[in-house]
Amino acid sequence: MKNIAFVAFKNLARHKKRTFITCIAIAFGIAYLIWVDGMLTWADNESKRNLKHLEYGNFIVSAKEYAEDRNNFPLDSVIEKAEAGKILQIADKTGASAAPRTGFRSMVSYNRRYGLPYVVFAIDPEADAGVFRIKDNIVEGEYPAKDGDGILISAYCSKELGAGLGDYVVMETRTRHNTMQAIQLRVTGIYDCPNPQVNKHHLFITRTTACLLYTSPSPRDRTRSRMPSSA
């Protein structure tokens, strides 16, 4: 064994240039592998943070019927006001932040004969800011007030519709009782967040404004929650 090691080191010393190039290649390969692994880990963590802070929270509470058809945002399978209140009380007792949201599909238009499809979320601005970070990504205007009557759109939506801060857009949607409703809303804020799904498809109005579209008071399709940072 000693002879093998001696011969090996002797050969390395004999071909110094080749040995040097080989060491550099190995070092570069290991460094590149570490860099790629770090980038993939960062991308994975960033993706999870975006989903948590901008789209889903830590977990979602919804009616069973809603969960089975959640991609279509059914308004006939919502959590009613009394049940939503109980969920919010439980969240408060456990130290978690919770925010009721009602999502629905809508056609939104600005100075045109046809609308573009978006998902609109009716939110309680104060509670929503405790779970999600849309408020931290406002680039123009302001985050909705509790009883505000405007609409918060993304920078992508603003460019796609051609609507800017202070412009009025028309939102058309189908209510939970299968009737069509339209409402004109002023753009009071524009956000630009790092989640492309949210940027391209999500608009926000207050629950007060959403009640104008419903024939029953304050439905919730789901309640999203975020656990305390220590959890």
Side-chain angles (χ1 to χ4, degrees), residues 81-153:
K81 187 174 182 179
E83 286 73 20
K86 294 178 182 178
I87 295 172
L88 294 176
Q89 288 178 2
I90 293 173
D92 185 60
K93 290 179 180 179
T94 58
S97 299
R101 279 188 167 189
T102 301
F104 54 91
R105 298 191 183 279
S106 177
M107 300 296 288
V108 180
S109 61
Y110 172 71
N111 285 346
R112 62 178 70 193
R113 296 180 181 178
Y114 58 90
L116 296 175
Y118 295 97
V119 175
V120 180
F121 285 100
I123 64 173
D124 178 331
E126 183 177 345
D128 209 74
V131 177
F132 300 100
R133 296 185 177 177
I134 298 295
K135 185 176 182 179
D136 298 336
N137 291 276
I138 300 294
V139 293
E140 288 187 60
E142 58 186 17
Y143 188 70
K146 183 174 180 59
D147 296 320
D149 56 359
I151 185 170
L152 176 66
I153 67 175

Side-chain angles (χ1 to χ4, degrees), residues 155-219:
Y156 181 93
C157 170
S158 175
K159 183 178 179 180
E160 190 173 44
L161 288 175
L165 191 66
D167 291 332
Y168 284 85
V169 297
V170 176
M171 184 179 71
E172 301 175 68
T173 189
R174 189 177 298 275
T175 69
R176 67 184 300 193
H177 294 291
N178 206 32
T179 59
M180 294 302 298
Q181 180 68 285
I183 187 172
Q184 190 177 52
L185 299 169
R186 186 171 70 90
V187 177
T188 56
I190 299 175
Y191 73 91
D192 188 10
C193 72
N195 187 319
Q197 177 71 13
V198 175
N199 262 347
K200 290 183 178 181
H201 304 292
H202 294 182
L203 311 180
F204 300 92
I205 61 176
T206 64
R207 303 192 67 79
T208 302
T209 301
C211 284
L212 298 175
L213 300 171
Y214 302 134
T215 56
S216 62
S218 301

Side-chain angles (χ1 to χ4, degrees), residues 42-58 101 131-134 137 192-199 202 224 226:
W42 172 84
D44 181 62
N45 291 337
E46 189 67 15
S47 177
K48 291 177 180 177
R49 279 194 294 268
N50 283 338
L51 290 175
K52 174 182 174 181
H53 296 312
L54 298 168
E55 197 168 354
Y56 293 114
N58 286 101
R101 279 188 167 189
V131 177
F132 300 100
R133 296 185 177 177
I134 298 295
N137 291 276
D192 188 10
C193 72
N195 187 319
Q197 177 71 13
V198 175
N199 262 347
H202 294 182
R224 303 171 188 234
R226 187 177 73 186

Side-chain angles (χ1 to χ4, degrees), residues 12 17-35:
L12 289 176
K17 184 179 293 186
R18 186 173 66 184
T19 300
F20 176 77
I21 295 174
T22 302
C23 290
I24 292 296
I26 293 174
F28 177 80
I30 293 175
Y32 184 75
L33 180 63
I34 294 173
W35 179 79

